Amino acid sequence: QVQLVESGGGLVQAGGSLRLSCAASGRTFSIYARGWFRQAPGKEREFVAAIDWSGGSTYYADSVKGRFTISRDNAKNTVYLQMNSLKPEDTAVYYCAAARGGSYYRTPRTDPEYDCWGQGTQVTVSS
């Protein structure tokens, strides 16, 4: 089993920045791609960003492209989401996810492609 624990959420003013972290434990050798999703109140969970095993390939939702950066440190089994120029519409619970197996170089973008999920961390952006 793999456990994922997010941290770094909080309250920030519009235009500010936050960095989320997601640490993995357990059978981490089986983890390849990592991703971030978010769910705002009354909305479905949506894809935010993904990164492949090497960290060399990333993919972003159009709504966050140019503002958010996903990265990973495999030695620490941790993935990060640096969020800059935050907007009130970025307010949501943010979830990290991990995909087991498959290609080293894939960047999954849908829920079913991921096998493990964290419990979520709240990000609130005030106007």
Side-chain angles (χ1 to χ4, degrees):
Q1 293 290 347
V2 173
Q3 294 78 42
L4 302 176
V5 179
E6 300 101 335
S7 60
L11 173 64
V12 65
Q13 288 188 332
S17 298
L18 281 176
R19 188 175 85 149
L20 305 183
S21 300
C22 177
S25 61
R27 298 171 65 87
T28 58
F29 63 87
S30 65
I31 294 175
Y32 288 3
R34 303 285 295 271
W36 287 95
F37 288 72
R38 67 186 182 185
Q39 187 168 20
K43 295 186 177 181
E44 293 188 353
R45 187 160 61 188
E46 64 175 2
F47 169 78
V48 175
I51 189 168
D52 73 347
W53 180 85
S54 71
S57 181
T58 57
Y59 192 86
Y60 297 92
D62 287 343
S63 58
V64 306
K65 200 173 296 183
R67 300 188 297 122
F68 291 10
T69 302
I70 188 171
S71 62
R72 66 189 295 165
D73 183 339
N74 287 343
K76 296 181 178 180
N77 294 313
T78 299
V79 66
Y80 305 95
L81 186 68
Q82 177 66 44
M83 305 185 294
N84 298 329
S85 302
L86 282 162
K87 305 174 181 180
E89 51 263 43
D90 293 318
T91 295
V93 177
Y94 283 70
Y95 299 91
C96 72
R100 289 197 294 260
S103 169
Y104 281 128
Y105 307 110
R106 66 186 180 124
T107 51
R109 302 154 201 181
T110 63
D111 284 33
E113 296 179 274
Y114 288 91
D115 303 290
C116 312
W117 294 85
Q119 82 288 350
T121 186
Q122 177 70 46
V123 171
T124 303
V125 184
S126 63
S127 57

